[in-house]
Amino acid sequence: HLLIMVSAGISLTIPKEASAMNEKKVTINEMIARMVAEARRLGYSESSIWTNIQPGLRAFAIYYGKKGISLYDPEITSEYVGFQKERLSRNEISDYYYRNIRSAANRLNEFYLTGTIHLKMPKHGTKYLLKAENERLIDRFLDYKEYGPNTRDDVVWVIRRYLYHFEALGHESLELVSVDDVREFILKTAEEVRTSSLHNILLYLKYFHIFLKETGVPAPDCAGLFSYKVYRDMPIQGYVTDEELDRILAVIDTESDMGKRDRAIILTAATTGLRACDLIRLKLSDIDWRKGEIRLCQKKTGRTVYVPLVKQTGAALQDYILNARPASDCPEVFLRAVAPKTAIANAVCIGSMFQQYQKKAGIARHAFDGKGFHGLRRRLAKKLLVTGTPLTTIAQILGHDDLKSSRQYLSLDTGNLKECALDFRGIPLERRELL
């Protein structure tokens, strides 16, 4: 029997006779070579292979080599996952790195059993378990709408909750659901979630019902019902303070190549307000050293922004590019510190890196405290605001299409807002109801 570790942390015992490769032993390096070849056959790009598949697989090959084992063994793979889990508990690696290792283990075992890397894990971690027909309906909607990876998870949660509600009421399909049933769902949901969450729920369900109508799936016509305007809350969000930024920069090892890179990334974000998704796409050609500015087309808005390059940030970028950046044909400024030395995979890597330095600096974090990597962007907005920079200028620097997006930063300037607050002393009250 083979013991397979899946992403939800569940161990599955699979008979040996089910394995595609058990009868003929295969080495770990042969496995990896075949997996890369299969990935190419399935249409994975070279960038995806070397960024998302190869690094995790090579980590296992190195582990096998250190143990003096050449033949692939799922138990050794499981052992390595357990070793990395222990390192995670000691904060020696990031949660992101551990998830990548676990995902690579799943790929290895899946290929060992089936001969393919098309790993499609079951949907774990949800209490809204649906019938197969509704699961397929969600997959069709996701293909139809093509949401980004972060939004995709939120959309799945909303649609799953919606369909589960009607399944629990005994409705086999949405064809049997009435507009009044949907209205009851909205009222029930409004009592259970925050206003900002309700805004998103109605928006995603509106697009879901548009999809149902356009694809001919029988369902009540509720697009208009979900169009009811719900205004988001505008909470006072936190940001990374000057003192916290100084502590983070102080713990970076600027003698190492990785440290030079990370310092340049953090300073660039803190002084330009660029998002993590834009920093990983920043190219050498985007920096105009003569003018002292960065010119970049933002991924989120599609707008081209021009942001000044202050002296401290320029010096950090020069130090990294000239003294630490790997020799590479990649046009991106910031590259991976380990092989393959290509562009950084995604914005999550940046956030994880920043969080590790916060831990090292002794900065306590809690959920939704606003002090993640994006908190550097809010820090810049706050500093611009308190120095009297007009809101229109802040919007241009941050690349906002709408001034409403920049107004959220007014809540950060609590000091000046308090000075604007007035009490009622000296103001005569004529209506007794106000007393």
Side-chain angles (χ1 to χ4, degrees):
H1 286 72
L2 299 175
L3 188 64
I4 306 301
M5 300 292 292
V6 298
S7 62
I10 302 172
S11 298
L12 298 180
T13 302
I14 302 178
K16 263 195 172 184
E17 55 268 24
S19 170
M21 298 190 180
N22 281 347
E23 295 179 0
K24 183 179 179 181
K25 294 295 184 179
V26 61
T27 68
I28 179 67
N29 289 321
E30 286 178 315
M31 279 269 291
I32 292 174
R34 293 184 190 181
M35 290 175 71
V36 170
E38 178 67 5
R40 291 194 180 100
R41 188 189 70 79
L42 292 173
Y44 284 84
S45 68
E46 290 298 317
S47 174
S48 180
I49 291 172
W50 288 101
T51 301
N52 301 323
I53 298 177
Q54 185 80 353
L57 300 181
R58 293 308 306 169
F60 282 92
I62 293 171
Y63 184 74
Y64 271 70
K66 288 181 178 179
K67 293 185 72 69
I69 299 173
S70 60
L71 294 178
Y72 184 76
D73 186 342
E75 291 187 5
I76 301 300
T77 297
S78 177
E79 176 184 298
Y80 184 59
V81 173
F83 167 70
Q84 295 295 353
K85 188 173 184 179
E86 291 179 3
R87 293 187 65 201
L88 175 66
S89 66
R90 297 192 297 268
N91 292 324
E92 294 178 3
I93 59 172
S94 68
D95 182 63
Y96 177 76
Y97 180 80
Y98 171 70
R99 290 200 306 270
N100 281 343
I101 291 296
R102 193 174 60 184
S103 176
N106 289 331
R107 282 196 173 105
L108 283 163
N109 287 324
E110 181 77 1
F111 190 76
Y112 186 65
L113 288 169
T114 68
T116 179
I117 63 166
H118 185 61
L119 181 66
K120 187 171 183 180
M121 300 304 298
K123 297 178 175 66
H124 295 293
T126 178
K127 62 181 179 180
Y128 304 122
L129 300 177
L130 301 175
K131 296 178 180 178
E133 184 178 350
N134 279 334
E135 291 284 4
R136 288 192 293 270
L137 190 60
I138 292 177
D139 290 337
R140 286 177 57 195
F141 175 60
L142 293 175
D143 292 338
Y144 165 88
K145 192 61 179 170
E146 296 185 349
Y147 286 105
N150 294 333
T151 307
R152 189 184 182 95
D153 290 340
D154 293 338
V155 171
V156 169
W157 177 82
V158 169
I159 305 302
R160 187 179 290 281
R161 175 181 178 143
Y162 181 64
L163 296 175
Y164 180 82
H165 170 81
F166 295 117
E167 280 193 13
L169 293 177
H171 298 300
E172 293 294 327
S173 69
L174 289 176
E175 185 177 9
L176 305 174
V177 175
S178 68
V179 174
D180 286 339
D181 291 331
V182 175
R183 186 177 289 110
E184 287 297 322
F185 169 83
I186 295 175
L187 293 175
K188 179 178 181 294
T189 304
E191 296 176 353
E192 299 173 348
V193 301
R194 296 180 301 175
T195 304
S196 56
S197 297
L198 182 62
H199 172 279
N200 290 339
I201 289 173
L202 295 183
L203 181 64
Y204 298 149
L205 289 177
K206 173 184 175 181
Y207 287 127
F208 180 60
H209 271 267
I210 290 175
F211 153 76
L212 296 175
K213 186 175 182 178
E214 291 184 353
T215 55
V217 177
D221 187 359
C222 297
L225 186 61
F226 289 119
S227 298
Y228 180 78
K229 189 68 175 178
V230 177
Y231 293 94
R232 293 175 182 265
D233 296 326
M234 189 177 287
I236 297 178
Q237 294 180 298
Y239 59 94
V240 178
T241 66
D242 290 349
E243 185 267 340
E244 289 170 335
L245 178 59
D246 289 341
R247 287 167 58 186
I248 291 169
L249 294 175
V251 299
I252 298 176
D253 177 15
T254 54
E255 296 299 318
S256 68
D257 291 349
M258 183 182 293
K260 292 179 187 294
R261 182 202 65 182
D262 295 346
R263 177 181 170 82
I265 289 174
I266 292 172
L267 279 174
T268 303
T271 58
T272 67
L274 290 177
R275 300 178 178 90
C277 62
D278 290 325
L279 284 171
I280 63 175
R281 297 168 53 249
L282 181 67
K283 295 179 174 56
L284 293 168
S285 58
D286 293 331
I287 305 175
D288 190 326
W289 297 103
R290 291 181 181 275
K291 292 184 178 180
E293 69 178 17
I294 293 175
R295 177 184 181 275
L296 178 73
C297 180
Q298 290 187 318
K299 181 178 180 181
K300 182 175 180 179
T301 65
R303 287 188 57 186
T304 298
V305 295
Y306 298 81
V307 292
L309 189 60
V310 302
K311 185 176 180 180
Q312 184 185 22
T313 301
L317 282 168
Q318 289 176 4
D319 186 27
Y320 167 65
I321 293 171
L322 297 176
N323 302 318
R325 185 178 181 273
S328 172
D329 293 331
C330 291
E332 289 81 9
V333 174
F334 302 113
L335 304 182
R336 287 166 46 88
V338 296
K341 296 187 178 181
T342 55
I344 296 173
N346 52 51
V348 177
C349 299
I350 300 291
S352 178
M353 172 271 291
F354 189 67
Q355 188 176 21
Q356 290 301 310
Y357 284 121
Q358 286 178 310
K359 287 182 180 179
K360 194 173 180 180
I363 298 173
R365 291 290 311 280
H366 58 82
F368 309 111
D369 60 5
K371 293 184 178 293
F373 190 79
H374 200 75
L376 293 172
R377 181 174 166 87
R378 285 193 290 271
R379 169 189 172 274
L380 176 64
K382 186 257 185 183
K383 292 181 75 68
L384 293 172
L385 191 63
V386 298
T387 55
T389 305
L391 200 60
T392 51
T393 304
I394 296 176
Q396 290 173 357
I397 293 174
L398 298 181
H400 288 151
D401 286 319
D402 192 340
L403 279 180
K404 292 179 181 178
S405 299
S406 297
R407 287 196 183 104
Q408 62 177 299
Y409 299 112
L410 287 171
S411 61
L412 296 174
D413 191 16
T414 53
N416 288 335
L417 287 177
K418 288 177 181 177
E419 293 180 8
C420 297
L422 301 175
D423 59 24
F424 290 96
R425 287 177 297 179
I427 301 178
L429 297 177
E430 297 180 357
R431 293 191 61 178
R432 190 171 184 83
E433 294 89 336
L434 297 178
L435 296 176

